[in-house]
Amino acid sequence: MPHQLISFLQSFKYIPSDDHDLIIAAFEQKTFNEGDYLFKGDQVCRQMFFITDGVLRIMVRNEKGNEVTHYFLKENYFCTILNSFINQVPAHESIQAACDTTVLVTSHAKLFTLYEQLPYLKELIDDITHKALLEKIQIRNNYLGQNSTSRYKLFMEKQADVALRVPLNDIASYLGITPQSLSRIRKNIR
């Protein structure tokens, strides 16, 4: 069976078979349980994750100490705190498993060594990351100006597969509403 990361990369660009083992060797498979942190904010993010199964959430703690979900990422997405990872500066955001999740993880050092060995890979991963970032921004922009019921309906329309796998508190935080409001909205929609 083809390696999931190689198959994903090849959906964007041909990867010579001689390079497969080199790429695979730069990543290690890890499994996280729902609620586990892959990265805690206020430090430098030194890892990049490729999600093979499950959902991750990018979140921060607001001034009141409440967790606020910025994004959900699912299978076949790279996940890191990009500015921190690239520039090696502390990040405020954290990465948490929103459900049981399996990822392939590489370090900043391993990835940049791999980029030196396979220069085309940096451009490829940068392009994939750039497209994913634009997609996340577009999804978030769709919620702007919408009332809470409309945001929830849009979330269920656009990200139903995520909605079925993550806790309702995380969805409420992502949509900018209280869990109680989300419960009322869900009850009124049924």
Side-chain angles (χ1 to χ4, degrees), residues 26-38:
F27 288 82
E28 175 186 353
Q29 182 172 306
K30 289 190 177 182
T31 301
F32 296 90
N33 295 318
E34 178 182 317
D36 288 350
Y37 283 90
L38 287 72

Side-chain angles (χ1 to χ4, degrees), residues 136-145:
K136 287 190 296 186
I137 291 168
Q138 180 63 44
I139 288 170
R140 289 298 290 177
N141 285 347
N142 287 335
Y143 296 117
L144 296 176

Side-chain angles (χ1 to χ4, degrees), residues 103-156:
V103 298
L104 299 175
V105 59
T106 190
S107 68
H108 182 272
K110 281 184 183 178
L111 186 61
F112 279 78
T113 297
L114 188 60
Y115 287 165
E116 289 173 13
Q117 296 168 311
L118 306 173
Y120 71 86
L121 194 61
K122 179 175 183 351
E123 182 181 339
L124 175 59
I125 290 178
D126 285 352
D127 285 349
I128 291 168
T129 305
H130 181 80
K131 286 176 185 166
L133 182 60
L134 292 175
E135 181 182 317
K136 287 190 296 186
I137 291 168
Q138 180 63 44
I139 288 170
R140 289 298 290 177
N141 285 347
N142 287 335
Y143 296 117
L144 296 176
Q146 302 284 336
N147 66 37
S148 52
T149 301
S150 296
R151 287 195 306 270
Y152 178 69
K153 286 179 178 177
L154 187 61
F155 177 73
M156 292 305 296

Side-chain angles (χ1 to χ4, degrees), residues 15-155:
I15 307 292
S17 57
D18 292 347
D19 296 347
H20 292 193
D21 289 340
L22 200 56
I23 294 168
I24 293 166
F27 288 82
E28 175 186 353
Q29 182 172 306
K30 289 190 177 182
T31 301
F32 296 90
N33 295 318
E34 178 182 317
D36 288 350
Y37 283 90
L38 287 72
F39 170 75
K40 279 199 167 198
D42 299 324
Q43 55 188 327
V44 174
C45 186
R46 301 184 193 284
Q47 295 179 313
M48 179 179 274
F49 308 95
F50 177 75
I51 307 165
T52 59
D53 185 45
V55 178
L56 298 178
R57 74 178 184 131
I58 307 283
M59 47 82 63
V60 296
R61 288 205 181 270
N62 66 15
E63 61 281 348
K64 295 178 183 175
N66 299 323
E67 293 179 351
V68 177
T69 302
H70 282 241
Y71 300 107
F72 290 110
L73 296 163
K74 59 184 181 175
E75 292 87 1
N76 293 323
Y77 276 88
F78 285 103
C79 181
T80 191
I81 307 300
L82 199 57
N83 183 53
S84 179
F85 183 76
I86 291 172
N87 298 310
Q88 295 293 277
V89 297
H92 299 291
E93 303 92 341
S94 297
I95 302 171
Q96 186 180 45
C99 62
D100 293 349
T101 304
T102 302
V103 298
L104 299 175
V105 59
T106 190
S107 68
H108 182 272
K110 281 184 183 178
L111 186 61
F112 279 78
T113 297
L114 188 60
Y115 287 165
E116 289 173 13
Q117 296 168 311
L118 306 173
Y120 71 86
L121 194 61
K122 179 175 183 351
E123 182 181 339
L124 175 59
I125 290 178
D126 285 352
D127 285 349
I128 291 168
T129 305
H130 181 80
K131 286 176 185 166
L133 182 60
L134 292 175
E135 181 182 317
K136 287 190 296 186
I137 291 168
Q138 180 63 44
I139 288 170
R140 289 298 290 177
N141 285 347
N142 287 335
Y143 296 117
L144 296 176
Q146 302 284 336
N147 66 37
S148 52
T149 301
S150 296
R151 287 195 306 270
Y152 178 69
K153 286 179 178 177
L154 187 61
F155 177 73

